Amino acid sequence: MPTPRLSDELAKEAADAFIALGNKSQAAELLGLPRNTFCSRLKAAAERGMLGTKPVLPGFRIAQISNTPNGDYIKQRPEHGEEFELPAGHTIKGVSALVDADGRTIQQWVKTGADSRQQAEAFAAMVDALKEELPRVTIMPPPASVEADLLNQFVVTDSHFGMLAWREETGADYDLRIAEQLLLDWFSAAIATAPQAHTAVLAQLGDLMHHDALESVTPAHKHVLDADSRLQKVIRVVIRTVRRIIDMLLQKHQHVHVVMASGNHDPASSAWLREMLAAMYEDEPRISVDNSPMLYYAYEWGGTALFYHHGHKSNIKTLDVKCAGIFRELFGRSKFAYCHHGHLHSDEGVKTDLMYVERHETLAAPDAYAAGGPWLSGRSAKRITYSKLFGEVSRNTMRPEMVAGAYVAANDNEPAEQRRVA
């Protein structure tokens, strides 16, 4: 709410007191005002011409003195503010200057931003503290029989936990509760229909969370997002959901490998999630977590090489060369190679001279931005099975309508609290 304008009566009162006493402190004491308040009123009085034109008026400075045959003219302007101090935790990002024809500085603008080094140090300290307090998880026994040659890869991307969509505006409702239920339903159905493979790869390709901070904006460009809930609640639901998914995968597979790719919506959240999972399961040999800070990830399955990236830094046209270059030794050992990414919420596959590169749809509903844009895509996620000897041998694509209620149906014997969603 704007501050009310000081009345002329109060400004005149301050001017008269200063003129009579010639001292700001004494005048403030006479009027029973704090000195700062009195000085503010006196400055307003000077701006309104209540102190005449004697140089220099309180709160003003001499800007120009002109000598003419008719006398001296003094041009005054309001005083400058306090000396500039860099805000705590900020660094100078740039300086813009207004200069005259001779290149002399007339005015400058200093642009500051959060100190990325301090942010990184604070984030690292937070992660270390979280890791110290996390309980280690005891895992259930492995399945009795698996096919040693097979790997089931469960690909999900762009789930956007914490996003809000309204059916009338976007074509489908979506919120935190729906996101959790949908992902648990899909994994229940996908695991139930998958081969009895030795290893599962949880290939979460990024943007698991819709926003990455207390403000509901994209991290890089600060675009305002349609958010469903508070950040801490989103974090709580994400952790609960991922742990349940890992538990389900362990019931079917001898080993589970976890990829939590960094996306453009959740670069910080994906980092703490990787570190948290790595610490939580560090004593469990049946679980491996790729907690690499790189934006590109790889897993070797016999003669089959698997690569992962969100898709915001490299796309379907360049990922083959990028992954083969980064992981050249792994790629060199492979007979078959596959790369998977998300980001654009749509399906596409390209067979290059190096590998098969595939972009994946999302299970999530579109938000208002996506629904209003020129893009149209379906909603699905895939289970792809790979052989050490023969590369891809089967796949299954399932859509939200196909898996509705699968998680609750598969866990009817569990207490209601364990089947609860957000």
Side-chain angles (χ1 to χ4, degrees), residues 344-391:
L344 296 184
H345 298 201
S346 60
D347 276 347
E348 185 178 358
V350 174
K351 177 72 173 181
T352 75
D353 291 337
L354 298 176
M355 64 185 69
Y356 183 68
V357 184
E358 184 171 4
R359 187 177 68 235
H360 293 267
E361 287 181 335
T362 175
L363 288 167
D367 62 2
Y369 175 79
W375 316 282
L376 283 174
S377 63
R379 297 172 62 185
S380 70
K382 303 173 186 69
R383 182 271 305 159
I384 306 173
T385 300
Y386 296 102
S387 162
K388 290 181 179 180
L389 299 175
F390 307 112

Side-chain angles (χ1 to χ4, degrees), residues 24-245:
K24 293 180 182 179
S25 297
Q26 293 178 5
E29 185 177 356
L30 175 66
L31 297 178
L33 296 172
R35 194 177 190 279
N36 288 343
T37 302
F38 175 79
C39 289
S40 297
R41 293 186 181 183
L42 190 62
K43 182 177 180 181
E47 291 173 346
R48 299 174 195 178
M50 296 178 181
L51 293 176
T53 57
K54 293 181 180 180
V56 174
L57 301 179
F60 280 68
R61 60 185 172 87
I62 295 176
Q64 182 180 346
I65 300 177
S66 301
N67 302 112
T68 72
N70 296 321
D72 294 338
Y73 291 86
I74 299 174
K75 184 177 182 180
Q76 301 185 39
R77 289 179 176 167
E79 289 180 348
H80 293 306
E82 300 293 331
E83 182 179 350
F84 174 77
E85 291 185 7
L86 194 65
H90 278 230
T91 55
I92 294 177
K93 296 175 62 178
V95 177
S96 299
L98 175 66
V99 298
D100 62 15
D102 297 322
R104 293 176 297 185
T105 300
I106 300 172
Q107 195 170 5
Q108 283 187 332
W109 294 265
V110 179
K111 294 175 285 186
T112 71
D115 188 334
S116 59
R117 180 182 56 81
Q118 289 188 13
Q119 283 185 319
E121 290 175 353
F123 177 71
M126 179 191 71
V127 169
D128 288 340
L130 284 171
K131 288 163 65 175
E132 288 299 318
E133 298 300 325
L134 283 173
R136 273 40 179 181
V137 178
T138 302
I139 304 302
M140 72 288 294
S145 176
V146 295
E147 295 188 46
D149 179 54
L150 298 183
L151 173 150
N152 289 325
Q153 176 180 275
F154 299 85
V155 186
V156 290
T157 186
D158 298 277
S159 295
H160 290 279
F161 274 58
M163 184 262 282
L164 182 66
W166 179 34
R167 179 184 297 272
E168 293 184 32
E169 182 180 23
T170 66
D173 291 324
Y174 198 75
D175 56 25
L176 187 58
R177 183 195 62 79
I178 294 172
E180 180 182 18
Q181 187 68 67
L182 177 56
L183 206 58
L184 291 175
D185 282 344
W186 186 87
F187 271 94
S188 292
I191 293 169
T193 57
Q196 200 74 27
H198 177 279
T199 291
V201 173
L202 170 51
Q204 193 285 118
L205 300 183
D207 284 0
L208 180 59
M209 290 177 60
H210 193 48
H211 58 101
D212 207 33
L214 294 175
E215 300 83 11
S216 303
V217 297
T218 55
H221 302 294
K222 308 303 179 185
H223 295 154
V224 178
L225 300 169
D226 297 327
D228 169 51
S229 191
R230 307 295 293 173
L231 178 64
Q232 185 165 342
K233 184 178 180 183
V234 177
I235 291 172
R236 182 178 299 168
V237 173
V238 165
I239 292 173
R240 181 173 71 211
T241 304
V242 172
R243 288 185 61 178
R244 287 179 175 178
I245 290 169

